[in-house]
């Protein structure tokens, strides 16, 4: 953690393929392969400079299963775990940055995966530019190239992949424009650069340029029959209001 990182220029395909099938999913392209049964690996193709698509490696990390039964050719999955360099087997969040690389949040560190190995970011005693806590609860890639990492009990960190340094955004009881809570459970950055933040105290709209947050309370009632202020998910659909779970 804290070390400089130079991004590799390219990553090769992760498996042999008999044939490739491209499936359009919204603005994303999901690539799958008809696999050779004996190989038992998942085909993962990283985005090139001509096309940026969602990386299906997230499935491999989340499921870690040996096979998926479906009509047509079978898909086999390769499990990436602690013995491959992942800092902790309990994966809490996965995100793909604007360069196409994979970030994995765990209960013990934030992992950067370049297709061949992991770089792990953890707290460094006495270094306020490192993570304040190793337990990552949510991740959100920024259009500016940063990674937003919600850290349990320590607010939000904006990590610069080029330096490994983080800027911390936390709740300050003396500052009404700070986050409503340090327990952040969901994040979404919109096209205007506003970071929507979900906590147990409602929704915050964090201005990423100034660091000031506006607070939106979903409910002022305490009875269980009405919706509460615990926010767990966001969804942004073009032309529609922000969806909050």
């Amino acid at each position: 953690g804290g070390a400089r990182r130079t991004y590799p220029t390219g990553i090769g395909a992760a498996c042999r393929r008999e044939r490739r099938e491209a499936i359009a999913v919204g603005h994303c392209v999901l690539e799958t392969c008809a696999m050779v049964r004996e190989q038992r690996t998942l085909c993962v193709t990283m985005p090139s400079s001509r096309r940026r698509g969602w990386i299906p490696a997230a499935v491999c990390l989340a499921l870690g299963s040996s096979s998926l039964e479906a009509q047509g050719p079978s898909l086999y999955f390769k499990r990436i775990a602690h013995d491959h360099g992942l800092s902790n087997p309990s994966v809490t969040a996965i995100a793909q940055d604007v360069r196409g690389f994979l970030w994995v949040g765990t209960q013990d560190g934030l992992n950067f995966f370049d297709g061949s190995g992991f770089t792990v970011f953890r707290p460094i005693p006495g270094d306020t530019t490192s993570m304040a806590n190793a337990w990552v609860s949510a991740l959100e890639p920024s259009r500016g190239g940063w990674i937003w990492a919600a850290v349990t009990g320590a607010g939000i960190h904006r990590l610069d992949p080029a330096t490994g340094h983080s800027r911390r955004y936390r709740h300050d009881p003396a500052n009404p424009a700070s986050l409503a809570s340090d327990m952040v459970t969901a994040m979404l950055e919109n096209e205007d650069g506003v970071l929507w933040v979900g906590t147990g105290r409602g929704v915050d709209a964090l201005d990423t340029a100034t660091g000031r947050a506006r607070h939106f309370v979903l409910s002022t009632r305490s009875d269980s029959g009405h919706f509460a202020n615990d926010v767990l998910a966001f969804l942004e659909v073009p032309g529609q209001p922000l969806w909050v779970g």
Side-chain angles (χ1 to χ4, degrees):
R4 286 184 177 272
R5 182 76 197 180
T6 301
Y7 286 97
T9 56
I11 299 174
C15 72
R16 249 170 49 208
R17 37 178 86 79
E18 290 177 332
R19 65 180 177 85
R20 181 185 300 170
E21 180 180 358
I23 306 172
V25 184
H27 298 292
C28 305
V29 174
L30 196 119
E31 287 192 347
T32 60
C33 297
M35 301 304 303
V36 179
R37 286 181 175 270
E38 290 74 20
Q39 188 164 356
R40 296 181 178 273
T41 57
L42 168 68
C43 173
V44 180
T45 302
M46 303 292 271
S48 69
S49 59
R50 293 169 297 186
R51 184 194 68 229
R52 293 192 179 275
W54 178 72
I55 303 177
V59 178
C60 140
L61 287 167
L63 297 181
S65 57
S66 58
S67 66
L68 177 65
E69 294 298 328
Q71 293 182 352
S74 297
L75 296 179
Y76 291 91
F77 296 82
K78 179 180 179 181
R79 182 177 181 179
I80 301 176
H82 189 69
D83 53 352
H84 296 93
L86 189 66
S87 64
N88 187 272
S90 296
V91 174
T92 54
I94 302 175
Q96 181 187 3
D97 67 20
V98 294
R99 293 179 174 88
F101 295 106
L102 201 66
W103 294 82
V104 182
T106 73
Q107 293 181 3
D108 183 25
L110 174 60
N111 298 252
F112 167 74
F113 183 59
D114 63 7
S116 60
F118 289 94
T119 298
V120 181
F121 297 89
R122 289 190 177 99
I124 300 174
D127 185 354
T128 58
T129 67
S130 70
M131 298 177 64
N133 191 343
W135 190 313
V136 178
S137 58
L139 292 173
E140 173 71 4
S142 168
R143 289 170 173 80
W146 308 295
I147 288 292
W148 295 102
V151 180
T152 301
I156 297 171
H157 293 44
R158 189 185 73 182
L159 176 69
D160 183 351
T163 63
H165 295 164
S166 296
R167 177 182 176 182
R168 302 175 182 178
Y169 299 80
R170 302 198 61 171
H171 171 65
D172 181 357
N175 180 7
S178 68
L179 292 179
S181 171
D182 278 337
M183 296 297 293
V184 175
T185 49
M187 296 180 294
L188 186 148
E189 184 184 273
N190 67 14
E191 294 182 354
D192 298 325
V194 174
L195 183 69
W196 293 97
V197 180
T199 72
R201 297 181 179 177
V203 175
D204 284 357
L206 180 67
D207 187 322
T208 57
T210 65
R212 297 176 61 86
R214 291 180 295 146
H215 311 299
F216 301 89
V217 178
L218 304 180
S219 175
T220 57
R221 296 173 58 181
S222 58
D223 61 289
S224 59
H226 202 66
F227 52 81
N229 286 300
D230 298 284
V231 176
L232 302 177
F234 291 112
L235 175 66
E236 185 179 42
V237 178
Q240 295 187 19
L242 179 68
W243 291 85
V244 180

